[in-house]
Each structure stands twice: as structure tokens, then as C-alpha cells.
């Protein structure tokens, strides 16, 4: 008797279960998409950070080179031209 009652209940709730299943699928797809977008954003941020870090490192090297050139008795203008940097970075 209980088994038949349970089967009846399952059949009656079939449409509700299907709707809930589709809703859960939609939610999993949404979460998966957000997770992928987050990973992609982090990867892009890391790439940009590395580029910026390399660029800053190169710039610091150029400034150091220009300062050494100035220490040899050259003017700031000559050092900036030699190191290919803006003279404002030396002042």
C-alpha cells in the first residue's frame, strides 16, 4: 500500500521534478560560466601585471644607465638621449 502511494506521489510530482531539474541545470551552467569568466579575468590580469612589471624593470634599468652615464660627466640631456628616456625621469 505504501509503495503504491509513493509511486502515485512520484508521478504527481513528475512535472515539478522536471522543472526543478531544469532549474538546477541552468544554475550549474550559470555558475560554470561565472567561474570560467573569473579564471579568464585572472589570467588576463596576471599577463598584464607581468607586462607592466617587465616594462617597469626595463625603465628602471634605463634610468640607472642614464645616471651612470651622468656620473661619467655627461649632462642629463645627453644621458636621457643615450638611455632613450624622458629627461623628466632624471630630475
Amino acid at each position: 500500500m505504501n509503495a503504491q502511494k509513493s509511486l502515485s506521489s512520484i508521478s504527481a510530482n513528475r512535472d515539478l521534478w522536471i522543472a526543478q531539474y531544469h532549474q538546477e541545470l541552468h544554475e550549474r551552467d550559470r555558475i560554470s560560466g561565472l567561474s570560467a569568466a573569473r579564471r579568464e579575468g585572472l589570467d588576463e590580469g596576471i599577463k598584464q601585471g607581468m607586462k607592466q612589471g617587465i616594462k617597469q624593470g626595463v625603465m628602471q634599468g634605463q634610468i640607472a644607465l642614464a645616471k651612470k652615464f651622468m656620473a661619467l660627466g655627461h649632462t642629463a640631456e645627453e644621458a636621457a638621449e643615450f638611455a632613450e628616456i624622458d629627461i623628466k625621469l632624471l630630475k
Side-chain angles (χ1 to χ4, degrees):
M1 183 76 174
N2 283 338
Q4 188 172 3
K5 197 174 189 181
S6 292
L7 287 175
S8 240
S9 176
I10 289 171
S11 296
N13 293 325
R14 182 175 178 267
D15 292 337
L16 179 62
W17 286 13
I18 290 172
Q20 183 177 357
Y21 174 75
H22 286 291
Q23 184 177 0
E24 288 173 3
L25 283 178
H26 174 72
E27 184 64 14
R28 276 185 271 169
D29 287 347
R30 187 184 72 81
I31 291 170
S32 177
L34 290 173
S35 179
R38 181 177 178 270
R39 278 192 309 273
E40 187 177 318
L42 287 173
D43 289 345
E44 185 62 30
I46 289 168
K47 286 178 189 175
Q48 287 180 3
M50 288 176 67
K51 284 180 184 177
Q52 185 176 1
I54 290 169
K55 187 177 180 181
Q56 285 178 339
V58 168
M59 184 61 69
Q60 288 174 350
Q62 289 172 303
I63 292 169
L65 179 63
K67 287 182 179 182
K68 286 180 184 178
F69 200 65
M70 287 172 57
L72 294 174
H74 295 277
T75 67
E77 290 81 13
E78 290 172 331
E81 185 177 339
F82 176 74
E84 299 179 346
I85 59 172
D86 189 348
I87 193 162
K88 294 175 188 173
L89 295 172
L90 296 175
K91 294 185 176 190

